[in-house]
Amino acid sequence: MRLIGINGGTFDPIHIGHLRPALEMQQTLGLDEVRFVPCYRPVHRGTPQVSAEQRCAMIELAIRHQPGFVLDTIEIDRGGSSYMVDTLAALKARFPQDALVLMMGTDAFLRFHTWHNWQEILRLANIAIAHRPGDGLPLSCEAGQILRAHHVKQLSAACEQIVDVAVTQLDVSSTAIRSALQQGLSVDYLLPPKVVDYIHKQHLYQNS
Ligand code: ATP
C-alpha cells in the first residue's frame, strides 16, 4: 500500500507556501507521492485569473525535479465545479490498493464542515492538517468537532483519520503575489525562479 498525498488548490499561481509545506508533510508522513491537483472551477471562491493550462504549466515548472511530486489534472480534465469528493472517489478507483491523504492548511480545514459531502471525503481518505509549529489545533469550532472525532497521532488506517503536521510557516499567498505583480513589484523569492520567468514571459497577472 502506497500513501498518496493529495494537495489541492487553485495554484493561481503556485508559490513556496504551497511547495515547502508539501515537502515537509511528504517527509514527516512518509508519503510516496504528492499529487498537486489544480481545481478547474473552485466551489468556494472566484474564477482563477489565468487559464487552467497556464496554472498547470507553472505547477510543472515548480515540481519537475522534485522526487514524488506529480501534477494531476483530474479536475481540469473533468471540467465543471471541482468537488474534492468526486476527485477522491475517482482517485480511489484509480489506485484501489493505496491510501489517500488529503493535505490542507489549518485555514482550509476551518471550513471543512462546509465542503460538499465531507463525510464521504473521510470515508475515502485521511486528512493531514499543516499548522504552525506550537499552535494549537482548531478544536472548539464546528470543524474542530470533526477533528476531535477523527484525530490520531500517527496514521494507521487507510481512511477516516485526521493527523496534524507542524510545518515551516511562510506567510505567502497567491493573492499577495497577484497584487504585487499588478503594481509592477518584484515577486522574486516568493515563487520558484522558473515560475517567475514564466509569469513575465506570458505577461500574467498584469491587470486585475
Ligand atoms: P489565494 O491567495 O488565491 O486565495 P492561496 O495562496 O491561499 O490562494 P490556494 O491555491 O487557494 O492558495 O491553495 C489552497 C491550499 O494551499 C490550502 O490547503 C491552503 O491551506 C494552502 N496554502 C496556501 N498558502 C499557504 C501557505 N502560505 N502556507 C501553507 N499552506 C498554504
Side-chain angles (χ1 to χ4, degrees):
M1 181 182 84
R2 292 183 311 158
L3 273 182
I4 302 182
I6 310 299
N7 196 16
T10 317
F11 301 113
D12 186 22
I14 191 164
H15 55 70
I16 58 166
H18 296 122
L19 292 159
R20 179 68 206 178
L23 175 59
E24 294 182 9
M25 289 174 107
Q26 180 191 28
Q27 293 180 142
T28 303
L29 298 173
L31 302 176
D32 296 282
E33 236 179 31
V34 176
R35 302 185 78 81
F36 286 73
V37 182
C39 60
Y40 177 66
R41 193 188 298 148
V43 184
H44 293 287
R45 47 178 288 160
T47 315
Q49 291 208 358
V50 305
S51 72
E53 290 71 24
Q54 288 166 324
R55 288 183 291 128
C56 287
M58 291 188 279
I59 296 171
E60 278 280 15
L61 289 168
I63 68 175
R64 187 174 284 164
H65 299 296
Q66 189 57 43
F69 279 18
V70 178
L71 168 67
D72 190 329
T73 58
I74 183 168
E75 294 191 347
I76 288 164
D77 300 341
R78 189 169 71 229
S81 295
S82 301
Y83 289 106
M84 184 50 77
V85 67
D86 299 338
T87 303
L88 293 175
L91 290 174
K92 192 70 202 163
R94 204 199 296 171
F95 306 114
Q97 310 297 336
D98 300 327
L100 306 178
V101 181
L102 179 58
M103 304 159 72
M104 63 180 87
T106 313
D107 60 323
F109 184 75
L110 282 171
R111 294 187 298 273
F112 181 65
H113 61 287
T114 69
W115 287 28
H116 177 58
N117 212 347
W118 62 261
Q119 294 91 340
E120 184 62 14
I121 289 180
L122 272 170
R123 279 190 282 275
L124 291 162
N126 292 315
I127 293 178
I129 306 175
H131 63 90
R132 182 185 293 273
D135 263 11
L137 290 166
L139 291 170
S140 55
C141 55
E142 217 169 320
Q145 290 175 19
I146 303 170
L147 175 56
R148 285 205 304 276
H150 295 272
H151 189 232
V152 293
K153 285 225 160 71
Q154 265 189 325
L155 297 178
S156 60
C159 63
E160 305 251 13
Q161 298 188 330
I162 304 180
V163 73
D164 66 281
V165 184
V167 299
T168 304
Q169 293 301 298
L170 298 160
D171 190 9
V172 179
S173 70
S174 301
T175 303
I177 289 169
R178 292 193 301 270
S179 161
L181 288 163
Q182 277 156 22
Q183 295 170 64
L185 299 172
S186 170
V187 292
D188 285 359
Y189 311 121
L190 297 175
L191 313 85
K194 287 194 172 118
V195 179
V196 177
D197 289 347
Y198 181 87
I199 287 172
H200 290 315
K201 283 199 186 109
Q202 297 269 323
H203 308 290
L204 304 184
Y205 306 113
Q206 291 185 349
N207 303 301
S208 44

